[in-house]
């Protein structure tokens, strides 16, 4: 196998990736809290994780990929105070928490499917794994890491000497802050809730009995408990957005390692944020851009994917519609080139020494901490080269797209000269209609295309061919 280098937040350096079990990777990614739609910033995180997974698969690994759905316990403040985001959302929308969770989970899965993000091996919901979460808190209690306050059971971070190693936290600095901002019964500023009690005299929609009283698990507990349940006490990779480093992932490590006495995760990978002109894009701002809104404005999900591909996952991206337009133009130009290659190759794919050479150049880019923008640049180089035959180009387009995920195998061949952009757009709409199983709409679009002078022929693997009539 080729060497893969990944930037490990734990240690802050690029390290060679060596899995625990040869040929196999266990990977856990923090998923959405389903109290609202995902915004395009959230989707950037899932896109980066998709690239990581595709790179591992491209290199020949089997990946067991677990993603959680948070449907309880995530409070509006990271300080274990305030309302549960789910219960708050349920009041806002007049739905039960279950209805709310199901609705936003569906919307989320639709978004990631549109973005061509590969489905995880398993989705796991916090509310389906309460027993395991109580088990983890019991384990911590038995080992002396917990204490009880009037509102819950807390983790005593002063008892875990390695606390904050991921985030390189300055605990003493934080403790100084304590005098000013610290008012509840927590012993240390960094202590966090493992189990919260339902408020006195109130019945929550989501609550369970536990050895400490009726209530619900703290948000961090779900990820430690479920990742270890599905991947073992020590596993290979854990990912999320950079905002998770100082609190959520730091606490996940403390809980897991305090209980098992073993290293929890070997490689921690974090994706940088998508920002807007006015700063960080955030769900709690109630005003954010979603993928379906982008589609309504006439962009395709692949335009956004191409936009994301142009920047390394550890760099911030500023989102503007001008930048998105530039990405759309780039993708359209790429599709035009590919159309031409298809036509010239007559859809014959050729594998040769040259393709092997380019494949290894591509591997070198993507294995260097997921440098897919360089991989994309290499695809452009291939398409422009006079020394590579159309058949070889077609092989490389399909091969690189296993990682880029731009659905390039669906770009139709330009059989009869230049095909107008409008026709490509109709074909993309038809593809989406077919994916949603709206065949009546797909047929109507085919008729529209015919009126405009082109015939669409469906081929295997979702490919289409266009003929001028
Ligand atoms: P949430 O649903 O709020 O728990 O967030 C889901 C994922 O999106 C987490 O991994 C966050 O770190 C990530 N995330 C939140 N905001 C952004 C942003 N503006 N850009 C990129 N990722 C984000
Ligand atoms: Zn998590």
């Amino acid at each position: 196998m080729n060497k893969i280098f990944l930037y490990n937040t734990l240690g802050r350096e690029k390290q060679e990736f060596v899995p625990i079990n040869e040929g196999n990777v266990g990977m856990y990614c923090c998923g959405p809290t389903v109290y609202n739609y995902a915004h395009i910033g959230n989707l950037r995180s899932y896109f980066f994780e998709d690239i990581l997974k595709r790179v591992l698969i491209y290199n020949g690994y089997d990946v067991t990929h677990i993603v959680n759905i948070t449907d309880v316990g995530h409070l509006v403040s990271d300080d274990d105070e305030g309302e549960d985001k789910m219960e708050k959302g349920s009041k806002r929308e007049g739905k039960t928490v279950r209805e709310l969770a199901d609705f936003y989970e569906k919307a989320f899965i639709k978004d990631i499917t549109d973005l061509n993000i590969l489905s995880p091996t398993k989705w796991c919901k916090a509310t389906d794994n309460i027993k395991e979460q109580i088990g983890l808190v019991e384990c911590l209690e038995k080992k002396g890491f917990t204490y009880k306050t009037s509102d819950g059971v807390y983790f005593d971070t002063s008892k875990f000497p390695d606390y904050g190693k991921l985030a390189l936290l300055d605990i003493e600095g934080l403790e100084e802050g304590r005098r000013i901002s610290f008012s509840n019964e927590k012993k240390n500023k960094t202590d966090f809730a493992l189990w919260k009690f339902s408020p006195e005299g109130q019945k929550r929609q989501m609550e369970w009995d536990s050895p400490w009283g009726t209530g619900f698990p703290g948000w961090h507990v779900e990820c430690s408990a479920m990742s270890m349940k599905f991947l073992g006490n020590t596993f290979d990779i854990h990912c999320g957005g950079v905002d998770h480093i100082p609190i959520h992932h730091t606490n996940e490590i403390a809980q897991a390692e305090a209980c098992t006495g073993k290293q929890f995760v070997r490689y921690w990978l974090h994706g940088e944020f998508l920002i807007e002109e006015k700063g960080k894009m955030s769900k709690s701002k109630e005003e954010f851009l979603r993928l379906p809104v982008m589609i309504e404005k006439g962009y395709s999900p692949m335009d956004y994917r191409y936009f994301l591909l142009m920047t390394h996952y550890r760099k911030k991206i500023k989102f503007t519609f001008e930048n998105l337009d530039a990405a759309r133009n780039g993708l359209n130009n790429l599709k035009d080139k590919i159309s031409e290659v298809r036509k010239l190759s007559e859809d014959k794919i050729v594998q040769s020494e040259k393709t092997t050479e380019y494949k290894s150049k591509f591997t070198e880019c993507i294995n260097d901490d997921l440098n897919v923008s360089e991989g994309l640049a290499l695809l452009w180089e291939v398409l422009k080269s006079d020394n590579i035959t159309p058949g070889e180009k077609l092989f490389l387009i399909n091969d690189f797209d296993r990682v880029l995920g731009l659905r390039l195998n669906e770009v139709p061949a330009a059989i009869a000269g230049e095909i107008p952009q409008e026709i490509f757009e109709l074909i993309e709409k038809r593809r989406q209609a077919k994916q949603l199983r709206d065949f009546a709409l797909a047929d109507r679009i085919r008729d529209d295309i015919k009126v405009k002078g082109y015939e669409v022929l469906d081929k295997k693997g979702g490919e289409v061919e266009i003929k001028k009539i």
Side-chain angles (χ1 to χ4, degrees):
M1 276 211 202
N2 291 302
K3 285 188 178 178
I4 301 179
F5 292 90
L6 299 173
Y7 184 86
N8 193 347
T9 307
L10 190 63
R12 300 282 193 286
E13 61 178 4
K14 257 192 231 178
Q15 294 170 355
E16 186 184 342
F17 173 69
V18 183
I20 298 167
N21 300 310
E22 213 185 313
N24 236 295
V25 182
M27 163 170 158
Y28 182 92
C29 302
C30 291
T33 308
V34 280
Y35 68 103
N36 207 333
Y37 292 108
H39 56 63
I40 57 166
N42 299 128
L43 295 178
R44 182 185 185 198
S45 284
Y46 303 109
F47 160 80
F48 129 68
E49 291 154 2
D50 184 56
I51 291 293
L52 169 61
K53 179 173 167 185
R54 284 171 180 268
V55 167
L56 293 165
I57 294 173
Y58 187 86
N59 279 273
Y61 287 105
D62 275 337
V63 181
T64 308
H65 177 207
I66 310 291
V67 181
N68 67 308
I69 303 260
T70 300
D71 52 3
V72 71
H74 195 167
L75 304 186
V76 287
S77 138
D78 269 340
D79 244 1
D80 298 313
E81 302 283 342
E83 248 181 306
D84 182 321
K85 290 185 180 186
M86 295 301 297
E87 302 254 346
K88 189 175 172 199
S90 140
K91 280 187 211 141
R92 182 189 67 221
E93 299 197 8
K95 290 185 174 127
T96 64
V97 168
R98 194 66 274 146
E99 285 165 352
L100 186 85
D102 290 347
F103 178 83
Y104 287 116
E105 182 188 327
K106 273 203 194 90
F108 173 72
I109 291 178
K110 161 99 178 64
D111 283 352
I112 62 162
T113 310
D114 281 349
L115 261 187
N116 203 17
I117 288 173
L118 302 174
S119 296
T121 317
K122 185 170 178 59
W123 295 104
C124 52
K125 287 186 192 157
T127 53
D128 286 339
N129 294 279
I130 298 294
K131 190 173 72 132
E132 288 75 6
Q133 296 177 66
I134 292 177
L136 178 59
V137 182
E138 281 179 320
C139 169
L140 293 170
E141 185 177 45
K142 225 177 274 160
K143 297 199 169 178
F145 287 99
T146 67
Y147 61 92
K148 222 168 146 173
T149 71
S150 57
D151 76 346
V153 178
Y154 281 78
F155 186 100
D156 185 344
T157 52
S158 67
K159 299 230 168 106
F160 185 69
D162 262 355
Y163 187 80
K165 67 180 171 187
L166 179 75
L168 308 176
L169 289 183
D170 167 15
I171 306 288
E172 281 181 11
L174 285 172
E175 285 302 307
E176 271 170 34
R178 168 183 167 159
R179 260 170 268 139
I180 311 154
S181 65
F182 207 59
S183 59
N184 66 15
E185 301 163 61
K186 281 196 219 175
K187 291 187 186 167
N188 309 287
K189 185 162 175 59
T190 44
D191 293 356
F192 55 92
L194 297 166
W195 187 265
K196 289 274 282 187
F197 303 135
S198 294
E200 282 268 334
Q202 267 182 49
K203 189 162 168 45
R204 283 170 46 96
Q205 290 186 53
M206 300 271 193
E207 59 180 23
W208 295 265
D209 287 337
S210 81
W212 314 281
T214 305
F216 60 99
W219 172 44
H220 318 299
V221 179
E222 83 177 74
C223 285
S224 301
M226 297 196 290
S227 58
M228 290 194 287
K229 173 176 175 180
F230 296 111
L231 297 171
N233 288 350
T234 303
F235 60 92
D236 297 304
I237 301 180
H238 195 314
C239 330
V242 282
D243 55 329
H244 286 341
I245 301 170
I247 299 176
H248 184 50
H249 289 168
T250 289
N251 294 347
E252 276 190 49
I253 293 175
Q255 294 163 154
E257 298 190 356
C259 171
T260 67
K262 293 183 185 147
Q263 182 174 19
F264 175 43
V265 172
R266 295 171 32 133
Y267 301 87
W268 286 89
L269 270 75
H270 292 97
E272 248 304 346
F273 265 37
L274 179 89
I275 52 170
E276 296 174 288
E277 214 83 64
K278 27 187 183 149
K280 171 181 174 251
M281 186 170 285
S282 148
K283 262 199 221 179
S284 47
K285 282 190 193 155
E286 303 281 335
E287 190 196 297
F288 49 75
L289 183 57
R290 301 189 287 118
L291 189 64
V293 175
M294 227 183 222
I295 297 171
E296 266 165 38
K297 287 181 189 286
Y299 296 92
S300 89
M302 289 307 103
D303 294 338
Y304 186 50
R305 194 169 171 109
Y306 191 94
F307 168 89
L308 293 175
L309 275 168
M310 294 194 300
T311 308
H312 190 258
Y313 77 94
R314 286 196 289 116
K315 292 211 175 94
K316 286 195 177 67
I317 306 184
K318 188 164 191 190
F319 178 83
T320 62
F321 277 101
E322 290 78 58
N323 293 346
L324 185 61
D325 285 337
R328 175 162 62 178
N329 289 340
L331 179 60
N332 285 340
N333 292 340
L334 187 78
K335 284 182 179 170
D336 286 348
K337 278 255 172 243
I338 293 172
S339 256
E340 209 138 289
V341 169
R342 275 240 134 91
K343 178 179 135 196
L344 294 171
S345 68
E346 294 173 340
D347 271 352
K348 275 193 206 80
I349 291 175
V350 177
Q351 209 170 341
S352 64
E353 252 172 55
K354 197 165 286 150
T355 57
T356 307
E357 185 193 313
Y358 273 94
K359 224 174 125 58
S360 72
K361 276 192 191 170
F362 183 73
T363 308
E364 214 171 289
C365 301
I366 60 171
N367 285 11
D368 179 14
D369 197 27
L370 317 181
N371 199 344
V372 277
S373 54
E374 236 178 69
L376 187 60
L378 187 69
L379 176 61
W380 271 108
E381 188 187 312
V382 165
L383 290 172
K384 287 180 181 162
S385 166
D386 293 330
N387 295 322
I388 310 173
T389 66
E392 288 168 331
K393 286 184 182 176
L394 201 52
F395 171 85
L396 292 168
I397 292 164
N398 289 332
D399 185 72
F400 293 3
D401 202 42
R402 289 168 54 206
V403 173
L404 304 176
L406 289 168
R407 300 190 198 280
L408 299 180
N409 68 335
E410 292 172 16
V411 175
I415 288 174
E418 283 290 288
I419 291 185
Q421 188 53 37
E422 180 194 15
I423 300 294
F424 284 133
E425 280 162 16
L426 284 170
I427 285 172
E428 170 61 18
K429 283 205 180 112
R430 180 169 174 267
R431 189 191 64 71
Q432 287 181 14
K434 281 174 75 178
Q435 201 181 21
L436 294 171
R437 310 193 70 72
D438 188 347
F439 298 111
L441 177 62
D443 286 347
R444 276 204 303 281
I445 298 174
R446 192 188 15 219
D447 293 343
D448 276 359
I449 296 174
K450 209 168 196 170
V451 170
K452 292 181 193 299
Y454 293 87
E455 189 172 12
V456 186
L457 303 169
D458 289 309
K459 300 175 79 188
K460 57 177 187 311
E463 289 181 28
V464 292
E465 206 175 271
I466 316 171
K467 270 195 180 138
K468 198 159 170 51
I469 306 171

